[in-house]
Amino acid sequence: MKPTIEWADGKVVMIDQRRLPLEEVYVECGTVEEVARAIETMVIRGAPAIGVAAAMGVALGVSALKPSADLTTEFSKIVKRLERTRPTARNLFWALERMDRVFRESRPLPLADLKARLVEEALEIEREDEAICRRIGTNGADLVKDGDSVLTHCNAGGLATAGYGTAVGVIRSAWEAGKKVRVLVDETRPFLQGARLTAWELEKIGVPYRVIADNMAGWLMQRGEVSLAVVGADRIARNGDTANKIGTYTVAVLCRENAIPFYVAAPISTFDFSLSDGSGIPIEERPAAEVREVNGRLIVPPAAAVRNPAFDVTPARFITAIVTEEGIVRPPFERSLDALRGRS
Amino acid sequence: MKPTIEWADGKVVMIDQRRLPLEEVYVECGTVEEVARAIETMVIRGAPAIGVAAAMGVALGVSALKPSADLTTEFSKIVKRLERTRPTARNLFWALERMDRVFRESRPLPLADLKARLVEEALEIEREDEAICRRIGTNGADLVKDGDSVLTHCNAGGLATAGYGTAVGVIRSAWEAGKKVRVLVDETRPFLQGARLTAWELEKIGVPYRVIADNMAGWLMQRGEVSLAVVGADRIARNGDTANKIGTYTVAVLCRENAIPFYVAAPISTFDFSLSDGSGIPIEERPAAEVREVNGRLIVPPAAAVRNPAFDVTPARFITAIVTEEGIVRPPFERSLDALRGRS
């Protein structure tokens, strides 16, 4: 199996996450526009993976520029197009800012060298992301005990990153350390990232799991069938407020009610230090069809209106700890994150 | 449109709730076994509607008995078959007990009269149920204010009863009193009673609604977009602990966290006065296919295991009030219910 996303012969190749788990199909993007649309339509999703895709999109866009082009103007257009894809994922903007820095530093170089430098940076972001996920996994593995039943929501696995995953990385790392863990996977409507993607990944790595409808987690917690919950993140404010897939807030509230630890696992690139709290995080509202249909078939009356907020914000007070590549951050998050920020 | 369930020419006719909202198809049951299977496979569902179906099933079964039959033995077989259909819904057992009382009282009558008496009782249960729903609606309408946004889970509407509905009855009654209400409908995986059935009913009666994935309710509450929640019930213990469709407990916990009133609307036949609390309520685990598939198409890896508890129990402490046909019951429920029980 190929990786989630890959730079191959001057193209960006992604596994089409809309068609998993029943079909393994790969999408080849040859232009910035194709990468942007792949992100928008969720061929690829997951904040860290979106960051990698955006970086590769920039590299692809600049690669196509002619010597006669106004480089600065064209670069700005490329970045702006990619910025418009998904508003919530901090890693998208982080990756674009990083590519922008490299572009400015390398602007004086001959065009061929500038292009090579941007491709190199995108590949570096990809390599780093997988290494970071492995460190998150190692750091978080101690939170999972032998015999634990771990609940996860959405997909924060290899498919959501350059590889290995964040929340799934924590579970996987505990599993690889010999702990017998079982996973409860929220199906995660409307896009079914849990049922389709997390289940598919756990199946491949051999970790026992069961898929549940999102509304079942509370009851299983009440019955003592959940030891801890671990999820990924799309954007984390300075105080620890965390935007993640819609339904995460509900999981966190249920964990608090049932005295179950609730962990977030995310790379430092997910933190938005410009935001004092979660109220400033933009929440994407996605197309109605995602709620109205499953597998392209209508599940509501034809005239039905729906809501489709793609993310929610979990207030920091519900979060037991945040697992990063630099270590586990505990409340008060603002102070712990300042220390971390100084380090990284 | 025909009613949810109807006794017609010695058959039981039900709208097939598995095929709504896209197709209006009716199922005709000519035998007890067919009625039992219709209940098991959710052609008909909703605790009060199941009660009506079971009563009609008994009438149907007895109608077919020959004078040579051992009436008591055959009657017992009929009841036992229907009892095995859905373990959680109290109204099922309540209706069977009521048919059993009538059978015993009328046992000395000529067979034709006994048969007529049982049909009459089943029809009486049906008529009463709709009248009761209208009283629940009237009693609960005051809890809904003009402009309110009301969240409901599953379908506790006309399709879940002989007509009008319990939770939907409350909403409908407020609407008919001229209050501008809007409804947020939890889609209610896995069977999608909200997306398919409640949406279909609200569409027909003209109440504005939006369907949401189950995991979105929490976020909308946090944003102040939910004024109150009202749900039905499958079984209520003496202390007020309420079994209802899986996910109800989650809605109740989220309401408490966000200081939103959480109401249960149910006829008194839903109460199980033999249970001191919810721990004794049997929770049905339904077939894996309901979670693994949507519209008959797999949404998980082929080898995926799932859980499918069909109900959960909401502890009484999360319930603001229970709306019954005899009035609104408030905590402490045990005491209020004792008073109610004395009255009814």
Side-chain angles (χ1 to χ4, degrees):
Chain A
M1 191 201 133
K2 297 186 196 176
T4 300
I5 181 166
E6 171 174 49
W7 179 269
D9 304 325
K11 302 217 166 187
V12 180
V13 182
M14 308 168 184
I15 189 163
D16 190 342
Q17 301 196 24
R18 299 168 308 182
R19 296 172 71 175
L20 289 171
L22 303 181
E23 295 173 284
E24 266 179 49
V25 178
Y26 292 82
V27 169
E28 237 185 53
C29 300
T31 65
V32 181
E33 186 55 30
E34 283 173 10
V35 171
R37 293 224 178 123
I39 297 172
E40 283 166 350
T41 60
M42 293 170 77
V43 168
I44 191 163
R45 29 60 55 200
I50 289 172
V52 173
M56 289 186 180
V58 169
L60 203 58
V62 174
S63 296
L65 295 181
K66 303 245 156 59
S68 59
D70 175 343
L71 284 191
T72 306
T73 305
E74 293 305 317
F75 186 84
S76 166
K77 276 190 202 160
I78 290 166
V79 168
K80 284 200 162 56
R81 175 67 190 94
L82 290 162
E83 276 178 350
R84 280 202 312 274
T85 53
R86 305 284 313 270
T88 307
R90 169 62 196 150
N91 318 59
L92 167 69
F93 301 91
W94 169 87
L96 291 174
E97 286 159 18
R98 184 161 156 178
M99 294 300 279
D100 183 65
R101 272 200 307 280
V102 171
F103 173 76
R104 288 201 243 177
E105 284 162 17
S106 312
R107 182 76 185 73
L109 300 178
L111 184 57
D113 293 354
L114 171 64
K115 289 177 177 181
R117 185 66 197 80
L118 287 166
V119 171
E120 191 186 297
E121 189 70 12
L123 293 176
E124 178 60 21
I125 288 175
E126 183 192 18
R127 273 191 303 271
E128 276 177 25
D129 187 62
E130 181 161 356
I132 284 169
C133 284
R134 289 186 182 271
R135 285 161 65 197
I136 291 172
T138 306
N139 291 340
D142 285 350
L143 302 172
V144 183
K145 290 188 291 292
D146 191 40
D148 271 355
S149 167
V150 185
L151 175 74
T152 191
H153 187 71
C154 193
N155 171 267
L159 290 164
T161 61
Y164 204 76
T166 53
V168 171
V170 168
I171 294 166
R172 190 170 173 175
S173 186
W175 174 258
E176 287 165 358
K179 294 175 193 172
K180 285 195 184 58
V181 296
R182 290 158 301 139
V183 185
L184 281 167
V185 180
D186 273 352
E187 65 176 7
T188 319
R189 277 279 290 149
F191 198 67
L192 297 167
Q193 291 94 334
R196 300 192 302 103
L197 310 179
T198 302
W200 183 77
E201 287 191 24
L202 292 173
E203 188 90 37
K204 292 220 173 230
I205 58 183
V207 179
Y209 70 92
R210 282 173 192 257
V211 175
I212 57 173
D214 300 318
N215 60 30
M216 293 171 184
W219 175 237
L220 297 177
M221 288 185 197
Q222 199 189 322
R223 308 256 292 188
E225 299 186 32
V226 177
S227 316
L228 69 143
V230 59
V231 300
D234 288 80
R235 191 184 292 235
I236 307 176
R238 224 157 56 212
N239 72 338
D241 287 357
T242 295
N244 189 46
K245 182 51 52 199
I246 188 74
T248 302
Y249 164 68
T250 293
V251 172
V253 169
L254 290 165
C255 280
R256 165 64 51 91
E257 172 60 29
N258 291 284
I260 293 166
F262 175 85
Y263 300 111
V264 171
I268 291 167
S269 55
T270 307
F271 288 90
D272 185 342
F273 293 106
S274 77
L275 296 177
S276 57
D277 63 47
S279 64
I281 301 177
I283 299 295
E284 178 184 10
E285 186 104 12
R286 289 194 51 87
E290 289 180 359
V291 173
R292 288 169 47 86
E293 299 169 7
V294 177
N295 282 332
R297 290 187 61 184
L298 205 59
I299 58 160
V300 293
V306 303
R307 290 291 304 271
N308 189 13
F311 303 94
D312 60 25
V313 176
T314 300
R317 68 178 186 280
F318 292 103
I319 301 171
T320 310
I322 303 174
V323 185
T324 76
E325 67 271 33
E326 295 292 337
I328 296 175
V329 184
R330 294 189 181 268
F333 291 113
E334 188 129 24
R335 199 179 311 162
S336 323
L337 288 173
D338 271 351
L340 201 74
R341 203 180 166 189
R343 266 217 313 280
S344 68
Chain B
M1 191 201 135
K2 296 185 196 177
T4 300
I5 181 166
E6 173 175 47
W7 179 269
D9 304 325
K11 302 217 165 186
V12 180
V13 182
M14 307 169 185
I15 189 164
D16 190 341
Q17 301 196 24
R18 301 167 307 181
R19 297 172 71 174
L20 288 171
L22 303 181
E23 295 173 283
E24 265 179 49
V25 178
Y26 292 82
V27 169
E28 237 186 53
C29 300
T31 65
V32 181
E33 185 56 29
E34 285 173 7
V35 171
R37 293 226 179 124
I39 297 172
E40 284 166 350
T41 60
M42 294 170 78
V43 168
I44 192 164
R45 28 63 51 202
I50 290 172
V52 173
M56 289 186 179
V58 169
L60 203 60
V62 174
S63 296
L65 295 181
K66 302 246 158 55
S68 58
D70 175 343
L71 284 191
T72 306
T73 304
E74 293 305 318
F75 185 84
S76 166
K77 275 190 203 163
I78 290 166
V79 169
K80 284 202 161 54
R81 176 67 189 94
L82 290 162
E83 277 179 349
R84 280 202 312 274
T85 53
R86 305 285 311 269
T88 308
R90 169 62 196 150
N91 317 60
L92 167 70
F93 301 91
W94 168 87
L96 292 172
E97 286 159 18
R98 184 160 154 178
M99 294 301 280
D100 183 67
R101 272 200 308 279
V102 171
F103 173 77
R104 289 200 242 177
E105 285 161 17
S106 312
R107 182 75 186 75
L109 301 177
L111 184 56
D113 294 352
L114 171 63
K115 289 178 177 180
R117 185 65 197 84
L118 287 167
V119 171
E120 192 186 297
E121 189 69 12
L123 294 176
E124 178 60 20
I125 287 176
E126 183 193 16
R127 273 191 303 271
E128 276 177 24
D129 187 61
E130 182 163 356
I132 284 169
C133 284
R134 288 184 182 272
R135 284 161 64 198
I136 290 172
T138 305
N139 291 340
D142 285 350
L143 302 172
V144 182
K145 289 187 291 294
D146 190 41
D148 271 356
S149 167
V150 185
L151 176 75
T152 191
H153 187 73
C154 194
N155 172 266
L159 290 164
T161 61
Y164 203 76
T166 53
V168 172
V170 169
I171 294 167
R172 191 169 172 175
S173 186
W175 174 257
E176 288 165 357
K179 294 176 192 170
K180 284 193 186 61
V181 296
R182 291 159 301 140
V183 185
L184 280 167
V185 180
D186 272 353
E187 65 176 7
T188 319
R189 278 279 289 149
F191 197 66
L192 297 168
Q193 290 94 334
R196 299 191 303 102
L197 310 178
T198 302
W200 183 77
E201 288 190 24
L202 292 174
E203 188 90 38
K204 293 219 175 232
I205 57 183
V207 179
Y209 70 92
R210 283 173 191 257
V211 175
I212 57 173
D214 299 318
N215 60 29
M216 293 173 184
W219 175 237
L220 297 178
M221 288 185 196
Q222 199 190 322
R223 308 256 291 190
E225 299 186 30
V226 178
S227 316
L228 69 142
V230 59
V231 300
D234 288 79
R235 192 183 291 234
I236 306 176
R238 222 158 57 215
N239 71 340
D241 288 355
T242 296
N244 189 47
K245 180 52 52 199
I246 190 73
T248 301
Y249 164 68
T250 293
V251 172
V253 169
L254 289 166
C255 280
R256 165 64 51 91
E257 171 61 28
N258 291 284
I260 294 166
F262 175 84
Y263 300 110
V264 171
I268 290 166
S269 55
T270 307
F271 288 89
D272 186 341
F273 293 106
S274 77
L275 296 177
S276 59
D277 63 47
S279 63
I281 301 177
I283 299 296
E284 178 184 10
E285 186 106 11
R286 291 195 48 88
E290 289 180 357
V291 173
R292 289 169 47 87
E293 299 168 7
V294 177
N295 282 333
R297 290 186 61 181
L298 204 59
I299 59 159
V300 294
V306 303
R307 291 291 303 273
N308 189 13
F311 303 94
D312 59 26
V313 177
T314 300
R317 69 179 185 280
F318 292 103
I319 301 170
T320 310
I322 303 174
V323 185
T324 77
E325 67 272 33
E326 296 292 339
I328 295 175
V329 184
R330 294 189 180 268
F333 292 111
E334 188 128 24
R335 199 179 310 161
S336 324
L337 288 172
D338 271 352
L340 201 74
R341 204 179 165 189
R343 267 216 314 278
S344 70

PDB file of all heavy atoms in Angstrom, chain A residues 154-172:
ATOM      1  N   CYS A 154     -13.642  10.107  15.034  1.00  0.00           N
ATOM      2  CA  CYS A 154     -13.112  10.516  13.731  1.00  0.00           C
ATOM      3  C   CYS A 154     -11.892   9.656  13.381  1.00  0.00           C
ATOM      4  O   CYS A 154     -11.742   8.533  13.885  1.00  0.00           O
ATOM      5  CB  CYS A 154     -12.770  12.010  13.723  1.00  0.00           C
ATOM      6  SG  CYS A 154     -12.479  12.672  12.054  1.00  0.00           S
ATOM      7  N   ASN A 155     -11.040  10.161  12.515  1.00  0.00           N
ATOM      8  CA  ASN A 155      -9.801   9.454  12.208  1.00  0.00           C
ATOM      9  C   ASN A 155      -8.634  10.389  12.445  1.00  0.00           C
ATOM     10  O   ASN A 155      -8.505  11.422  11.787  1.00  0.00           O
ATOM     11  CB  ASN A 155      -9.776   8.967  10.750  1.00  0.00           C
ATOM     12  CG  ASN A 155      -8.396   8.417  10.371  1.00  0.00           C
ATOM     13  OD1 ASN A 155      -7.558   9.147   9.855  1.00  0.00           O
ATOM     14  ND2 ASN A 155      -8.149   7.163  10.676  1.00  0.00           N
ATOM     15  N   ALA A 156      -7.827  10.044  13.436  1.00  0.00           N
ATOM     16  CA  ALA A 156      -6.590  10.764  13.701  1.00  0.00           C
ATOM     17  C   ALA A 156      -5.480   9.729  13.588  1.00  0.00           C
ATOM     18  O   ALA A 156      -4.665   9.545  14.473  1.00  0.00           O
ATOM     19  CB  ALA A 156      -6.632  11.425  15.070  1.00  0.00           C
ATOM     20  N   GLY A 157      -5.505   9.043  12.455  1.00  0.00           N
ATOM     21  CA  GLY A 157      -4.571   7.947  12.218  1.00  0.00           C
ATOM     22  C   GLY A 157      -3.594   8.261  11.105  1.00  0.00           C
ATOM     23  O   GLY A 157      -3.355   9.429  10.779  1.00  0.00           O
ATOM     24  N   GLY A 158      -3.034   7.212  10.536  1.00  0.00           N
ATOM     25  CA  GLY A 158      -2.081   7.370   9.444  1.00  0.00           C
ATOM     26  C   GLY A 158      -2.670   8.145   8.286  1.00  0.00           C
ATOM     27  O   GLY A 158      -1.977   8.918   7.620  1.00  0.00           O
ATOM     28  N   LEU A 159      -3.956   7.974   8.052  1.00  0.00           N
ATOM     29  CA  LEU A 159      -4.602   8.655   6.926  1.00  0.00           C
ATOM     30  C   LEU A 159      -4.777  10.151   7.161  1.00  0.00           C
ATOM     31  O   LEU A 159      -4.956  10.914   6.224  1.00  0.00           O
ATOM     32  CB  LEU A 159      -5.980   8.031   6.662  1.00  0.00           C
ATOM     33  CG  LEU A 159      -5.961   6.616   6.079  1.00  0.00           C
ATOM     34  CD1 LEU A 159      -7.337   5.969   6.220  1.00  0.00           C
ATOM     35  CD2 LEU A 159      -5.530   6.640   4.618  1.00  0.00           C
ATOM     36  N   ALA A 160      -4.752  10.565   8.423  1.00  0.00           N
ATOM     37  CA  ALA A 160      -4.948  11.974   8.759  1.00  0.00           C
ATOM     38  C   ALA A 160      -3.618  12.707   8.865  1.00  0.00           C
ATOM     39  O   ALA A 160      -3.583  13.902   9.162  1.00  0.00           O
ATOM     40  CB  ALA A 160      -5.697  12.094  10.079  1.00  0.00           C
ATOM     41  N   THR A 161      -2.554  11.979   8.650  1.00  0.00           N
ATOM     42  CA  THR A 161      -1.200  12.510   8.824  1.00  0.00           C
ATOM     43  C   THR A 161      -0.333  11.954   7.688  1.00  0.00           C
ATOM     44  O   THR A 161      -0.839  11.254   6.810  1.00  0.00           O
ATOM     45  CB  THR A 161      -0.611  12.031  10.174  1.00  0.00           C
ATOM     46  OG1 THR A 161      -0.551  10.582  10.151  1.00  0.00           O
ATOM     47  CG2 THR A 161      -1.478  12.446  11.356  1.00  0.00           C
ATOM     48  N   ALA A 162       0.963  12.262   7.746  1.00  0.00           N
ATOM     49  CA  ALA A 162       1.851  11.668   6.734  1.00  0.00           C
ATOM     50  C   ALA A 162       2.045  10.180   7.017  1.00  0.00           C
ATOM     51  O   ALA A 162       2.533   9.433   6.166  1.00  0.00           O
ATOM     52  CB  ALA A 162       3.189  12.389   6.745  1.00  0.00           C
ATOM     53  N   GLY A 163       1.641   9.741   8.209  1.00  0.00           N
ATOM     54  CA  GLY A 163       1.768   8.334   8.567  1.00  0.00           C
ATOM     55  C   GLY A 163       1.749   8.160  10.076  1.00  0.00           C
ATOM     56  O   GLY A 163       2.039   9.100  10.818  1.00  0.00           O
ATOM     57  N   TYR A 164       1.319   7.008  10.557  1.00  0.00           N
ATOM     58  CA  TYR A 164       1.303   6.604  11.965  1.00  0.00           C
ATOM     59  C   TYR A 164       0.159   7.195  12.764  1.00  0.00           C
ATOM     60  O   TYR A 164      -0.472   6.492  13.537  1.00  0.00           O
ATOM     61  CB  TYR A 164       2.639   6.912  12.652  1.00  0.00           C
ATOM     62  CG  TYR A 164       2.884   6.029  13.863  1.00  0.00           C
ATOM     63  CD1 TYR A 164       3.273   4.697  13.703  1.00  0.00           C
ATOM     64  CD2 TYR A 164       2.694   6.506  15.146  1.00  0.00           C
ATOM     65  CE1 TYR A 164       3.477   3.874  14.808  1.00  0.00           C
ATOM     66  CE2 TYR A 164       2.895   5.688  16.254  1.00  0.00           C
ATOM     67  CZ  TYR A 164       3.291   4.380  16.085  1.00  0.00           C
ATOM     68  OH  TYR A 164       3.487   3.568  17.167  1.00  0.00           O
ATOM     69  N   GLY A 165      -0.123   8.479  12.574  1.00  0.00           N
ATOM     70  CA  GLY A 165      -1.285   9.059  13.247  1.00  0.00           C
ATOM     71  C   GLY A 165      -0.971   9.693  14.580  1.00  0.00           C
ATOM     72  O   GLY A 165       0.091   9.470  15.160  1.00  0.00           O
ATOM     73  N   THR A 166      -1.923  10.478  15.072  1.00  0.00           N
ATOM     74  CA  THR A 166      -1.770  11.155  16.360  1.00  0.00           C
ATOM     75  C   THR A 166      -2.516  10.351  17.442  1.00  0.00           C
ATOM     76  O   THR A 166      -1.889   9.593  18.178  1.00  0.00           O
ATOM     77  CB  THR A 166      -2.292  12.599  16.250  1.00  0.00           C
ATOM     78  OG1 THR A 166      -3.620  12.582  15.723  1.00  0.00           O
ATOM     79  CG2 THR A 166      -1.398  13.420  15.356  1.00  0.00           C
ATOM     80  N   ALA A 167      -3.846  10.466  17.490  1.00  0.00           N
ATOM     81  CA  ALA A 167      -4.607   9.686  18.474  1.00  0.00           C
ATOM     82  C   ALA A 167      -4.431   8.186  18.206  1.00  0.00           C
ATOM     83  O   ALA A 167      -4.187   7.404  19.138  1.00  0.00           O
ATOM     84  CB  ALA A 167      -6.082  10.064  18.432  1.00  0.00           C
ATOM     85  N   VAL A 168      -4.535   7.784  16.951  1.00  0.00           N
ATOM     86  CA  VAL A 168      -4.317   6.370  16.628  1.00  0.00           C
ATOM     87  C   VAL A 168      -2.853   6.009  16.892  1.00  0.00           C
ATOM     88  O   VAL A 168      -2.551   4.883  17.297  1.00  0.00           O
ATOM     89  CB  VAL A 168      -4.734   6.048  15.171  1.00  0.00           C
ATOM     90  CG1 VAL A 168      -4.309   4.640  14.776  1.00  0.00           C
ATOM     91  CG2 VAL A 168      -6.250   6.203  15.004  1.00  0.00           C
ATOM     92  N   GLY A 169      -1.945   6.972  16.719  1.00  0.00           N
ATOM     93  CA  GLY A 169      -0.531   6.748  17.027  1.00  0.00           C
ATOM     94  C   GLY A 169      -0.333   6.384  18.498  1.00  0.00           C
ATOM     95  O   GLY A 169       0.469   5.501  18.830  1.00  0.00           O
ATOM     96  N   VAL A 170      -1.072   7.055  19.368  1.00  0.00           N
ATOM     97  CA  VAL A 170      -0.984   6.764  20.811  1.00  0.00           C
ATOM     98  C   VAL A 170      -1.452   5.328  21.076  1.00  0.00           C
ATOM     99  O   VAL A 170      -0.788   4.557  21.791  1.00  0.00           O
ATOM    100  CB  VAL A 170      -1.840   7.775  21.620  1.00  0.00           C
ATOM    101  CG1 VAL A 170      -2.007   7.325  23.066  1.00  0.00           C
ATOM    102  CG2 VAL A 170      -1.219   9.173  21.552  1.00  0.00           C
ATOM    103  N   ILE A 171      -2.578   4.966  20.465  1.00  0.00           N
ATOM    104  CA  ILE A 171      -3.128   3.620  20.646  1.00  0.00           C
ATOM    105  C   ILE A 171      -2.160   2.581  20.082  1.00  0.00           C
ATOM    106  O   ILE A 171      -1.846   1.565  20.721  1.00  0.00           O
ATOM    107  CB  ILE A 171      -4.497   3.512  19.911  1.00  0.00           C
ATOM    108  CG1 ILE A 171      -5.534   4.425  20.577  1.00  0.00           C
ATOM    109  CG2 ILE A 171      -4.978   2.065  19.859  1.00  0.00           C
ATOM    110  CD1 ILE A 171      -6.806   4.651  19.749  1.00  0.00           C
ATOM    111  N   ARG A 172      -1.662   2.874  18.900  1.00  0.00           N
ATOM    112  CA  ARG A 172      -0.769   1.960  18.191  1.00  0.00           C
ATOM    113  C   ARG A 172       0.534   1.755  18.957  1.00  0.00           C
ATOM    114  O   ARG A 172       1.057   0.634  19.045  1.00  0.00           O
ATOM    115  CB  ARG A 172      -0.488   2.613  16.844  1.00  0.00           C
ATOM    116  CG  ARG A 172       0.204   1.754  15.876  1.00  0.00           C
ATOM    117  CD  ARG A 172       0.181   2.438  14.521  1.00  0.00           C
ATOM    118  NE  ARG A 172       1.005   1.666  13.611  1.00  0.00           N
ATOM    119  CZ  ARG A 172       1.123   1.926  12.318  1.00  0.00           C
ATOM    120  NH1 ARG A 172       0.483   2.957  11.802  1.00  0.00           N
ATOM    121  NH2 ARG A 172       1.877   1.173  11.552  1.00  0.00           N
TER     122      ARG A 172
END
